[in-house]
Amino acid sequence: MILVVDSGSTKADWRLVLADGTHQRYAGRGLNPLHVAPADMLKILRERTPAELQGVPVRRLFFYGAGCGASDATKILSAAFSKIFVEANVEVLPDFLGAARALFGRREGVVAILGTGSACGLYDGDSIVKTSKSLGYILGDDGSATDLGKRLLRAFFYNQLSEGLAQQLHEQGVTREEVLQAVYHGDSPAIYLASLLDFILRNRENEKVIQLVEESFNNFFENHVNAVYSSLYQLGIVGSVGFLFADILQEVAKRHGVDNVEFLQYPIDRLTQYHIFE
């Protein structure tokens, strides 16, 4: 049996491929190993692995996750998986590589992730060979849900929103004290900021919201896509933010000379097929 997992910092999709080729689907909370203390890794992983899967004799396990680059945290996560799935050959890989494989398989292309965070890089059909600079949610992550949340809150507290939008946020209980506590002292500030995506989606026809989204996407192209893109390649965008705002992204892409864009909300199914046929 093969187990394939695609995990962001917020949520994770799991696919178990049985011996007869059928798939079983599971969903749960995401896990970013950079956000978990080493001593807590096994405990947290057990909590976030679907109960129905624990003890299943998996032969190969592929975990694609946010924060799963070359780091000690990735090694600790891999070791924790080996204690839960004791028969499995475990591979813990970056979500970036998973997005590229889901989009392009063995073909070359430029891959972007627009979800809770953001990233962009060039894929040669085997590995990511060039990336734009990643500065994290405080200094970077242009175009992501986190970035959109930051822009919305700045506009709110600097009195740049319409009365109607501001009233909605007041009614939602958004206060300066709550925001500062969540962003500067909370356990998951990036996830808190990204949670404002629901509000942005509900008001996506508002002129100011459209402006904020366009500015965020424009910065993403200026700082990330343009650093790696060539007209020789197709651009593929993975993640809920890219998928849900595909219309605005298409227009921004055209302004930057990018006409050929593919959008994929969830990579898990294509990733599963990739590993079945590899």
Side-chain angles (χ1 to χ4, degrees):
M1 285 187 282
I2 300 173
L3 183 59
V4 183
V5 190
D6 176 56
S7 176
S9 296
T10 308
K11 68 180 188 64
D13 292 313
W14 302 66
R15 295 291 184 274
L16 178 67
V17 182
L18 303 178
D20 62 3
T22 58
H23 301 181
Q24 293 182 350
R25 302 164 179 257
Y26 304 90
R29 291 181 62 192
L31 190 155
N32 185 326
L34 297 179
H35 299 165
V36 179
D40 296 333
M41 191 74 76
L42 180 58
K43 175 178 176 290
I44 297 296
L45 181 58
R46 286 192 189 280
E47 291 173 354
R48 299 190 185 180
T49 298
E52 301 93 328
L53 290 172
Q54 298 193 32
V56 170
V58 172
R59 179 173 55 87
R60 301 182 71 191
L61 190 158
F62 302 93
F63 181 91
Y64 293 91
C68 292
S71 69
D72 290 340
T74 298
K75 295 176 183 176
I76 294 169
L77 176 58
S78 180
F81 264 119
S82 294
K83 291 181 180 178
I84 297 174
F85 299 97
V86 295
E87 299 179 25
N89 176 28
V90 176
E91 292 188 48
V92 176
L93 304 157
D95 59 347
F96 211 174
L97 180 60
R101 287 176 169 177
L103 280 164
F104 301 117
R106 297 292 182 183
R107 295 181 291 115
E108 297 176 321
V110 173
V111 58
I113 293 178
L114 286 177
T116 302
S118 67
C120 188
L122 177 61
Y123 176 65
D124 68 357
D126 180 63
S127 58
I128 304 294
V129 294
K130 183 180 181 181
T131 62
S132 61
K133 287 185 173 64
S134 175
L135 298 176
Y137 77 94
I138 295 178
L139 297 178
D141 276 350
D142 304 302
S144 69
T146 298
D147 185 54
L148 294 174
K150 282 191 293 186
R151 290 172 189 265
L152 176 68
L153 290 174
R154 285 171 57 86
F156 175 49
F157 290 118
Y158 290 150
N159 299 316
Q160 296 170 357
L161 297 182
S162 66
E163 183 177 341
L165 284 181
Q167 183 61 31
Q168 286 185 57
L169 287 170
H170 282 302
E171 291 174 357
Q172 197 169 304
V174 177
T175 64
R176 179 175 178 274
E177 292 72 20
E178 174 203 76
V179 170
L180 295 182
Q181 174 62 33
V183 172
Y184 292 104
H185 304 288
D187 293 333
S188 304
I191 293 175
Y192 171 79
L193 292 168
S195 70
L196 291 161
L197 181 66
D198 288 341
F199 179 91
I200 293 169
L201 285 168
R202 290 199 305 271
N203 294 279
R204 62 168 295 157
E205 303 302 323
N206 180 275
E207 185 177 342
K208 181 62 175 180
V209 169
I210 292 172
Q211 178 191 340
L212 293 175
V213 173
E214 287 183 340
E215 289 174 352
S216 182
F217 290 162
N218 189 61
N219 286 161
F220 180 68
F221 272 82
E222 288 178 340
N223 298 327
H224 300 277
V225 177
N226 292 348
V228 299
Y229 181 76
S230 161
S231 58
L232 295 172
Y233 307 111
Q234 181 181 12
L235 171 64
I237 299 179
V238 165
S240 293
V241 173
F243 187 83
L244 295 170
F245 290 103
D247 54 339
I248 298 176
L249 264 172
Q250 287 276 22
E251 292 302 315
V252 174
K254 288 178 182 178
R255 293 176 211 158
H256 288 267
V258 181
D259 294 315
N260 189 10
V261 185
E262 179 183 0
F263 295 91
L264 179 63
Q265 186 172 14
Y266 303 117
I268 184 64
D269 289 324
R270 288 197 193 176
L271 263 180
T272 302
Q273 293 301 116
Y274 176 92
H275 285 294
I276 290 172
F277 295 109
E278 69 173 329

